[in-house]
Amino acid sequence: MNSVGEACTDMKREYDQCFNRWFAEKFLKGDGSGDPCTDLFKRYQQCVQKAIKEKEIPIEGLEFMGHSKEKPEGSS
């Protein structure tokens, strides 16, 4: 699956490969310590956010690609 931004597709594939390898080789075998793909994810996230702004895709009120630092009122 391609990314929302054409320039982000290679980063997405690189991140997907990294995550899938970590998930299969480490996490599923009980080693949940750390995620070696964090930097790849952050770069991909920034690329997608830039593409969304450039394409003027409305995202107000949506959380995507990660958790916000503040929790909505009434959530635990």
Side-chain angles (χ1 to χ4, degrees), residues 4 11-12 17-20 22-23 26 33 43 45 47-48 58-60 73:
V4 67
M11 279 185 236
K12 179 187 184 308
Q17 287 175 347
C18 180
F19 178 83
N20 289 336
W22 169 80
F23 189 77
K26 301 285 185 179
S33 61
R43 286 196 333 247
Q45 181 184 38
C47 186
V48 167
I59 59 167
E60 291 78 26
E73 283 188 42

Side-chain angles (χ1 to χ4, degrees), residues 18-19 21-38:
C18 180
F19 178 83
R21 185 174 31 242
W22 169 80
F23 189 77
E25 295 175 6
K26 301 285 185 179
F27 186 79
L28 290 178
K29 294 178 181 176
D31 181 2
S33 61
D35 178 355
C37 309
T38 300

Side-chain angles (χ1 to χ4, degrees), residues 3-68:
S3 181
V4 67
E6 191 174 314
C8 307
T9 297
D10 286 342
M11 279 185 236
K12 179 187 184 308
R13 289 188 181 130
E14 188 178 358
Y15 169 72
D16 286 347
Q17 287 175 347
C18 180
F19 178 83
N20 289 336
R21 185 174 31 242
W22 169 80
F23 189 77
E25 295 175 6
K26 301 285 185 179
F27 186 79
L28 290 178
K29 294 178 181 176
D31 181 2
S33 61
D35 178 355
C37 309
T38 300
D39 289 338
L40 290 172
F41 177 78
K42 287 179 182 177
R43 286 196 333 247
Y44 172 57
Q45 181 184 38
Q46 290 171 345
C47 186
V48 167
Q49 289 172 341
K50 180 180 176 192
I52 287 172
K53 286 179 185 174
E54 288 173 353
K55 293 181 179 201
E56 298 180 358
I57 298 171
I59 59 167
E60 291 78 26
L62 296 178
E63 286 185 38
F64 69 102
M65 293 184 67
H67 301 287
S68 67

